[in-house]
Amino acid sequence: MFNSFLKRGLLAVCIANALCFCNSASAGADGSEPVMQITDIKVKGLYRVTKGAVLLAMPIQVGDVVTKDDISVSLKKIYATHNFDSVDAYINENGVLTIDVKERPTIVNLTFAGNDAIKTDQITEIINSQGVKVGETLNVIKLKELEASLEDYYHSMGRYQAKVNTILVYLPRNRVDVKFNFVEGVNAKIEQINIVGNKVFPEEKLIGQFELRDSVPWWNFIASRNFYSQRFNGDLETLRSYYMNRGYVRFNVESTRVEVTPDRKGVYVSIAVKEGEQYKLNDFHIIGETYGHAEEMQRIVPLEKGDIYNAAQVSHAEEILANYMGKFGYAYTKVKAITDIDDDNRIVNINFHVEPGRRIYVTNVRIVGNSITTDEVIRREIRQMDGTWLSNEAINVSKTRLNQLGFFESVEVEPKKTGMDPDSVELVTTIKERPTGSIKAGVGFGTETGLTLNGEISQDNFLGYGGKASLGINTNKYDRKIELTYNEPYFTIDGVSLGENIFYEKFKAGDANLVDYTNIRWGGGFNIGYPLDENNFIKYGFSYINNKLSQTNSFVQIQKFWDMYSDDDSSSNSIVFQNYVGSVTYVRNYLDRGVFPTEGNKQWSNVSVAVPGSDTQYYKLTADTTHFWPIDKDHDYVINFRAMAGYGNGYGTKRGFDQVLPFFENFYLGGDEWMRGFKYNSIGPRALYDYSLLGNNGVIATRDVVGGNAVVAGSLQLVVPTPFTSEGYDTKLRTTLFVDAGTLWDTTFDDSYLKQCLGNCDYLYDYSDPNNIRVSYGVSLVWMSPMGPIGFTIAEPIKKKTGDRTEFFSFTLGRTF
């Protein structure tokens, strides 16, 4: 049916030239003599198209004296309107010209079948751009061209078996349904990639730079054997950059060849290259209009004379120079590296030509999208001021600081023309807020906490003013706590922060996978901090803590501490400690955002000291670091490394004993934050108890963890796109594959107990040895839900010690990784 329509369309012009004129006067042999004067024009076969549209397309009208050629030209012009499948004409003896047409049907519906590799919306966009759309007339020639175009599109994706057929279903009133039927076939696999002409670098090294490969190891999530022409072109550019970044400025891809196997399921790729010689950078200069900044710009260029020429470094230098001029209001500076290549000496000289353009100033800063957060909270993070020269450096810092708050899902800071003055812009800050607080009351259950009763009001962006406040009452199987906290990050306009907290807690260690004791704590404190610069912050704190410690089981490691502080006349089997703790915290933050960062790093360190006058005298040093390195330009795949370390001990003496770190201040390891796959607080030294067997005195080991005064832990993670989710959820969901490793030890442990073990000796090892490392691996999913962050983890230990408590699945509420 389709082919018959195509043939009819192609023959229409021929039909127009073979007109039959009945009872008309004879014309000359060349057809140029008058045939007849036109007395009337009639049009037959019209339904949708008006007669006026036909007459308008004709170059002749009533009253004209016409020849065969005149009428032939008229029919061609009518056909050229694309409204008709065929056009015919004849004149009777009275001079009446009758145009007989057959209208093309109108497309009333477009449907698609079999398209899995290409979305329907994408196909619709392609065919609409070719003029094939609902409401338009059917052009069978264009339809045939569109079939070939769609097949070429599939071929560019490596689907060389793809076929596209069009089925036409004719309906009453000259209408038609058009159905595109796709047979996509399979992606052609790359069978082999050959590079010829390379002498400096081996073929394996060069292919290793490609996204397309002829073989892909299981661990490579980015490379693919499926052939795509766009990716292939990208790989050719990667190959060129690889050589250009190593000094081969005359490198060229001479030719490429892609051969498809007979079954069209595989391709062989050949790339012919010409490497040329390696060149060095001889000299570079700044030219153009720099407004007196040329000397400073020369110094900041990150290039060294005599180094191998590197195109990537040259591009980076262009960006640095443009950004430098942007600091002074020249926001649209263009910097072009003009290379002068000396082939005889194999050196390159570079002139960086600077075109600063117009100097731009900011008329005002406008904030859009905030319904909860006040303008003041946003403006105090913005470093671009109203009425000052536009600075791209200030814009980038502003965006980073707003993202680091953790209040927003997205932040855009963009200068936009005002339309009043070509030298002025307004800075539009567009934000999308995320839930930063919650009101909770109810019953829950956790894999570690058991049954949980809680009531909490918390707000990280308190009343939209940027402060952090919480009032919480939580109770679970081992901990009951009520705490009120508030932190104001801008207590003063200069960024000095002030925080306060008061709390009461009853902690039953035996129910938290620890040795059995009870600690009732209450107290409060305050802290004050201030920024050292945009990325560095220091905070000082002071707290009063009252501990009432009840000893239920006296284990060996605690006995020295108990003897040092217990009152021999006391029968209550408890001790009260009053401690005054001072602390200093330093934070260095270069992360791109506060929640789910994808680039940058952050370091945190803290020193806490129970000052002289406290019942116990000790200090604790803790630090952690985290780094994010995006693998791809979209930051869908990100490598994350994080690590922490801690050490604590006592200072001074009491009752003739050297003071030690109180055991209830010990470090613990295991659980959802550090060392997933191991139960909460389940790693490290175990409690030993005095024991006598057949007159022999010694110790018996248990699985009860007592913690240690030294800890090191780390995690290597790969952030990957969350499966089965659409785009835009990267700020709400995060999936990671991880490997965790860590160790916890006690530097004061007496290893003589190793020879005195009388029971459960598999649980006893040298607790002072930091080499007792545990390792686990798994996958984690964190969801930023309206109730707060919820984490799910599946993990499996691959290195553990006898007695370690492990867990395959866990979930958490309120922490992010």
Side-chain angles (χ1 to χ4, degrees), residues 587-786:
V587 179
R588 178 181 181 271
N589 189 355
Y590 284 86
L591 295 178
D592 59 346
R593 57 194 187 197
V595 177
F596 293 162
T598 60
E599 188 173 15
N601 61 85
K602 181 179 181 179
Q603 289 74 41
W604 176 91
S605 61
N606 175 267
V607 179
S608 299
V609 180
V611 301
S614 300
D615 288 338
T616 60
Q617 295 183 173
Y618 66 90
Y619 63 89
K620 294 179 73 173
L621 311 174
T622 52
D624 68 38
T625 183
T626 184
H627 300 259
F628 290 87
W629 298 283
I631 299 176
D632 63 320
K633 64 179 181 179
D634 296 325
H635 293 199
D636 291 330
Y637 295 88
V638 180
I639 294 175
N640 170 223
F641 171 75
R642 60 192 185 103
M644 59 85 72
Y647 177 78
N649 214 330
Y651 67 93
T653 60
K654 188 176 183 67
R655 295 184 179 181
F657 296 102
D658 290 334
Q659 296 218 46
V660 296
L661 182 69
F663 71 94
F664 52 83
E665 291 287 346
N666 276 349
F667 296 104
Y668 301 98
L669 195 60
D672 55 88
E673 187 170 6
W674 295 101
M675 293 308 302
R676 290 158 286 188
F678 293 85
K679 285 194 173 184
Y680 183 64
N681 294 344
S682 66
I683 293 175
R686 316 285 172 71
L688 306 177
Y689 292 91
D690 289 323
Y691 190 69
S692 178
L693 178 65
L694 300 177
N696 296 320
N697 295 324
V699 296
I700 185 171
T702 68
R703 297 180 72 183
D704 298 332
V705 176
V706 298
N709 71 329
V711 63
V712 174
S715 179
L716 184 62
Q717 303 188 120
L718 175 63
V719 178
V720 299
T722 302
F724 313 113
T725 59
S726 58
E727 294 182 4
Y729 278 86
D730 57 325
T731 60
K732 297 180 181 179
L733 290 169
R734 168 156 288 188
T735 301
T736 57
L737 310 175
F738 64 84
V739 176
D740 291 349
T743 180
L744 179 74
W745 70 101
D746 181 1
T747 62
T748 65
F749 177 70
D750 185 355
D751 60 4
S752 65
Y753 290 117
L754 297 173
K755 300 178 180 179
Q756 302 175 30
C757 184
L758 300 177
N760 295 332
C761 298
D762 289 344
Y763 300 155
L764 177 58
Y765 54 89
D766 187 357
Y767 298 148
S768 66
D769 186 359
N771 293 316
N772 295 302
I773 299 172
R774 276 77 161 180
V775 182
S776 64
Y777 72 100
V779 59
S780 175
L781 171 67
V782 178
W783 171 38
M784 293 299 298
S785 75

Side-chain angles (χ1 to χ4, degrees), residues 47 77 133 214 259 262 279 310 332 379 384 403 444 466 561 618 638 646 657 666 762 765 781 794 799 805:
Y47 295 95
K77 289 186 176 293
K133 60 180 70 174
D214 50 12
E259 296 181 287
Y279 288 66
N310 188 314
Y332 305 106
R379 287 185 184 278
Q384 176 70 66
N403 274 317
F561 178 86
Y618 66 90
V638 180
F657 296 102
N666 276 349
D762 289 344
Y765 54 89
L781 171 67
I794 295 175
K799 187 175 182 181
R805 294 181 172 95

Side-chain angles (χ1 to χ4, degrees), residues 452-507:
T452 300
L453 304 176
N454 63 71
E456 182 181 64
I457 301 174
S458 65
Q459 182 74 37
D460 286 346
N461 184 14
F462 186 60
L463 300 179
Y465 289 98
K468 182 176 182 179
S470 68
L471 171 63
I473 301 174
N474 293 280
T475 176
N476 56 45
K477 69 179 183 180
Y478 60 79
D479 196 17
R480 296 180 180 180
K481 184 177 183 179
I482 179 171
E483 183 172 18
L484 174 64
T485 64
Y486 182 76
N487 184 74
E488 173 53 63
Y490 278 84
F491 183 68
T492 71
I493 195 172
D494 298 324
V496 175
S497 68
L498 180 66
E500 310 90 18
N501 78 303
I502 57 174
F503 69 91
Y504 172 86
E505 180 180 19
K506 184 176 182 179
F507 180 72

Side-chain angles (χ1 to χ4, degrees), residues 87 99 130 221 394 431 459 466 494 543 721:
V87 183
I99 307 296
Q130 300 295 320
F221 298 98
I431 66 171
Q459 182 74 37
D494 298 324
S543 301

Side-chain angles (χ1 to χ4, degrees), residues 289-330:
E289 185 58 73
T290 62
Y291 298 109
H293 299 294
E295 185 176 344
E296 176 62 23
M297 295 173 74
Q298 185 82 16
R299 285 197 296 267
I300 66 173
V301 174
L303 300 175
E304 293 291 336
K305 299 175 183 179
D307 284 353
I308 300 299
Y309 177 86
N310 188 314
Q313 290 182 358
V314 173
S315 297
H316 182 52
E318 292 175 333
E319 183 179 350
I320 289 176
L321 294 173
N323 288 337
Y324 180 82
M325 292 298 293
K327 292 167 55 176
F328 304 103
Y330 302 100

Side-chain angles (χ1 to χ4, degrees), residues 677 793-797 806-810:
T793 300
I794 295 175
E796 181 70 23
T806 63
E807 61 182 359
F808 178 70
F809 172 79
S810 65

